[in-house]
Amino acid sequence: MVVNLLATQRQSFAIPMKRNHQMRRLVSAWALVLGLGTAVCGNAAYSADEYAYDGVHSSVSFKARHLDISWIHGRFNEVEGKFSLDREDPTKSTFALTIKADSVDTANKARDEHLRQPDYFDTKQFPTIEFKSKSVKVIKDGFEVTGDFTMHGTTKKVTLKLMGGKEHEFKNGVKRVAFSTELSLKRSDFGFDKNAIGPIGDEALIIIDCEGMRK
Amino acid sequence: MPDPVLYLKSMGVAAIVSAIVVLAMAMLRRTVSSTRLTSACVLAMGLGLALGCNVLEMRWTWPPVKGLDRLLMIVIPMALGIELIAGLEKLPQWVAWFLRLSLAAVAPRILLHGSVFLTGSGSDWTLWDGGVAVLICGALLAFTWGLLGWLSRRSGGISIPFALSLTTQCAGLTVMLAGYLKGGATAFPLAATIISTAIATKLVTMRSGTSEKLGLAAIIGVGVIGLFGVLMIGRFFGRLSTGSAVVLMLAPVLCWATELSFLRRRKPWMVGSLRLGLVAIPLVVVLAVAKRDFDRDMAPLLGEIPTRDGVVDTLIRRNL
């Protein structure tokens, strides 16, 4: 009798203990799921999309006055860049562009060679032209990006109005976004030789049409 | 666009200032010592070049980020300092030459600092190529400097700085014809200050009856460094060909030809003329080649000289 009673008591204790153990497992599993979910969702909410400059569908071109009667057009064939686009908080977006000055192309070999010389781009001393954003502001149909523009060894703060920002997503998940901007600057502000400015106007207009790609 | 009037002004300023400094410093005392005359030459060349470059509206910004800036603000002042020290009468010659050769070794490195040649960021230059170029250029500078310094001690003569000035002017023109205006223009006040300091020094030594070799080493030292700098920036940052740069750097060494036994004992004016004539031969060839290349590549860009295609178009339009 006593033995039976003891056995019954053991059983009645054993059932709640087993249930407690299962409950703990369940809670732990839920906690893990919730934790991971929060982490993943949280990241998605605050992370920005990283885009690489797509040289195939982008261009950095320029034009400058010749003798103050016409325009000379040219482009840079080798450009690299990346930008991160934060749709939730666009002020956290960043833009960077590096242009190889040596890749200047005005459809005239002799003129390109001349433009690479120290009186103009001085490409052996200053091989790149760079832009790095410092702050981003949302404007109608785009962003107003202020950053450091370095050319010919001189860095100046410039503000670009990046228009666009429309996205296109392919079925394989590749996402594309595009911006366009124009920047007017004076070559003399960037230390270009005053005497070499002569027939080519001091002011130059840089036109950037940039498509970014996220894989 | 090239401005010949501006270049003439800078040459005039450099020449006048250099001559005045040498003459004024020599007039302060009756006897002229080697140290005093060397100091006068160094000061005259430094001041003449600085004011001449100022006329050319050179930017004096520190730190110097371009090859030309480093030439004017680091390498030439170093040469002036070394020649000032080398001019001390009690200083052993080997110390003076040790300092000069040290500058010859570091000058190419300084001129190429931060460029694609030393950073390896250029597509066609590796760090190894850059190192080899620095070594060869240093050796070439030391060779020319050493031979001209030796010649000036051995037989002297104002024709050596004249030949150096002529070569420097030719180097400037060649660099400009290759498309680097500012780099080439720097050579003009430099050439003017070399010739003007040399003439003023000659007048002082003639008046005081001292050796005509006094001060010559300083003029040659600063002149050779200046010539080398113009050629190096023209070659590495501009489009001056390696062949032209080497010929121009070695041209003044042809002054040594007059050391041949049958020429050495000729009258000084004949030796001087021979030196200048010999040096002028490669200079004329280099200039002719540079002009031909300019007419072919650069002139059409200026729109002043009609291209062959342009002439043909005109003839077609006129039904000729």
Side-chain angles (χ1 to χ4, degrees):
Chain A
M1 185 68 181
V2 174
V3 172
N4 274 347
L5 189 66
L6 279 171
T8 317
Q9 271 181 339
R10 265 181 211 154
Q11 270 184 355
S12 62
F13 270 107
I15 290 164
M17 273 177 75
K18 206 174 180 181
R19 274 183 191 161
N20 266 349
H21 191 67
Q22 280 175 341
M23 280 294 284
R24 260 186 227 149
R25 271 189 176 175
L26 200 66
V27 168
S28 303
W30 269 111
L32 192 66
V33 169
L34 275 172
L36 280 172
T38 311
V40 170
C41 295
N43 259 356
Y46 294 108
S47 73
D49 287 338
E50 299 277 345
Y51 292 89
Y53 180 91
D54 176 20
V56 180
H57 301 97
S58 308
S59 77
V60 176
S61 55
F62 61 89
K63 63 177 186 175
R65 297 290 281 174
H66 181 238
L67 299 169
D68 213 21
I69 56 171
S70 67
W71 293 93
I72 293 173
H73 291 254
R75 56 171 287 148
F76 292 99
N77 293 326
E78 288 177 47
V79 184
E80 287 173 3
K82 59 179 181 182
F83 47 93
S84 68
L85 211 55
D86 194 328
R87 294 287 181 188
E88 296 294 315
D89 185 0
T91 58
K92 286 182 180 167
S93 301
T94 58
F95 299 86
L97 201 67
T98 303
I99 300 164
K100 280 195 178 169
D102 222 15
S103 69
V104 64
D105 180 1
T106 61
N108 182 300
K109 220 174 178 182
R111 183 167 53 207
D112 297 343
E113 279 296 326
H114 191 45
L115 288 173
R116 289 183 188 115
Q117 296 225 30
D119 287 336
Y120 290 90
F121 288 109
D122 199 356
T123 59
K124 301 294 180 198
Q125 187 73 59
F126 310 114
T128 56
I129 299 167
E130 291 174 18
F131 175 78
K132 271 182 190 161
S133 69
K134 292 279 176 192
S135 66
V136 178
K137 208 167 83 179
V138 181
I139 56 169
K140 196 186 171 213
D141 298 329
F143 300 105
E144 191 177 88
V145 183
T146 302
D148 290 336
F149 185 78
T150 306
M151 182 167 71
H152 205 248
T154 305
T155 302
K156 298 246 174 216
K157 194 180 246 185
V158 299
T159 300
L160 302 173
K161 281 189 177 168
L162 291 184
M163 307 311 287
K166 283 183 183 173
E167 290 174 347
H168 181 92
E169 193 159 1
F170 291 87
K171 281 177 186 172
N172 60 2
V174 173
K175 203 170 167 184
R176 287 175 172 276
V177 66
F179 292 101
S180 296
T181 189
E182 286 187 2
L183 168 68
S184 175
L185 48 86
K186 281 188 175 179
R187 293 190 293 129
S188 56
D189 288 343
F190 288 87
F192 282 80
D193 183 17
K194 195 182 151 196
N195 292 325
I197 288 168
I200 300 177
D202 187 15
E203 203 163 326
L205 190 71
I206 299 178
I207 305 127
I208 303 172
D209 283 302
C210 159
E211 197 168 300
M213 188 169 65
R214 194 203 71 179
K215 285 181 181 172
Chain B
M1 290 291 279
D3 187 349
V5 178
L6 191 72
Y7 304 147
L8 284 174
K9 270 187 197 171
S10 78
M11 287 177 81
V13 168
I16 291 166
V17 169
S18 299
I20 287 173
V21 170
V22 173
L23 295 174
M25 279 187 76
M27 277 177 188
L28 289 176
R29 282 190 187 177
R30 280 196 174 183
T31 54
V32 181
S33 68
S34 168
T35 306
R36 188 171 190 80
L37 198 56
T38 303
S39 309
C41 288
V42 167
L43 188 66
M45 293 188 84
L47 212 59
L49 184 61
L51 293 175
C53 286
N54 222 36
V55 173
L56 291 174
E57 297 169 5
M58 296 283 177
R59 286 190 316 154
W60 302 98
T61 49
W62 191 267
V65 288
K66 300 180 79 176
L68 179 58
D69 298 342
R70 286 190 292 274
L71 171 66
L72 293 174
M73 293 165 80
I74 299 176
V75 177
I76 288 181
M78 277 173 83
L80 290 168
I82 284 171
E83 287 306 334
L84 198 64
I85 296 166
L88 298 171
E89 280 171 53
K90 286 177 184 172
L91 193 84
Q93 272 301 301
W94 71 265
V95 177
W97 275 106
F98 173 75
L99 291 172
R100 287 173 183 142
L101 292 177
S102 302
L103 179 59
V106 297
R109 172 67 186 79
I110 295 170
L111 292 174
L112 294 183
H113 178 76
S115 68
V116 294
F117 305 106
L118 297 185
T119 56
S121 54
S123 55
D124 47 355
W125 275 79
T126 61
L127 284 174
W128 172 255
D129 294 336
V132 170
V134 165
L135 277 176
I136 291 172
C137 291
L140 193 62
L141 170 60
F143 178 75
T144 306
W145 200 349
L147 281 181
L148 288 183
W150 183 10
L151 183 63
S152 71
R153 282 179 67 81
R154 189 179 145 106
S155 56
I158 197 171
S159 54
I160 305 171
F162 266 57
L164 203 52
S165 173
L166 195 68
T167 312
T168 306
Q169 281 189 54
C170 182
L173 267 175
T174 313
V175 170
M176 287 176 91
L177 286 170
Y180 184 6
L181 290 182
K182 208 170 180 177
T186 314
F188 297 139
L190 178 68
T193 198
I194 293 170
I195 214 159
S196 163
T197 309
I199 292 170
T201 309
K202 176 84 178 168
L203 289 174
V204 170
T205 52
M206 276 169 66
R207 182 177 151 266
S208 61
T210 48
S211 166
E212 63 162 18
K213 293 175 189 172
L214 293 185
L216 206 54
I219 301 170
I220 288 170
V222 179
V224 168
I225 279 284
L227 170 67
F228 172 78
V230 169
L231 292 173
M232 187 140 176
I233 56 169
R235 163 62 188 87
F236 285 92
F237 297 106
R239 284 181 65 217
L240 182 67
S241 69
T242 307
S244 297
V246 171
V247 168
L248 288 168
M249 191 65 207
L250 294 176
V253 176
L254 286 173
C255 288
W256 263 95
T258 56
E259 291 303 294
L260 293 168
S261 57
F262 64 97
L263 292 174
R264 203 177 170 194
R265 291 190 192 96
R266 306 266 169 185
K267 287 177 182 170
W269 68 266
M270 197 178 272
V271 170
S273 305
L274 259 172
R275 282 177 178 172
L276 290 177
L278 282 169
V279 171
I281 294 168
L283 301 187
V284 169
V285 173
V286 168
L287 265 180
V289 172
K291 177 73 171 70
R292 184 204 63 192
D293 292 348
F294 173 82
D295 288 345
R296 187 190 59 210
D297 301 331
M298 306 291 291
L301 296 178
L302 299 173
E304 287 168 358
I305 300 167
T307 61
R308 196 170 149 268
D309 292 344
V311 171
V312 172
D313 285 348
T314 311
L315 293 175
I316 291 167
R317 260 186 271 120
R318 289 179 184 172
N319 295 321
L320 292 170

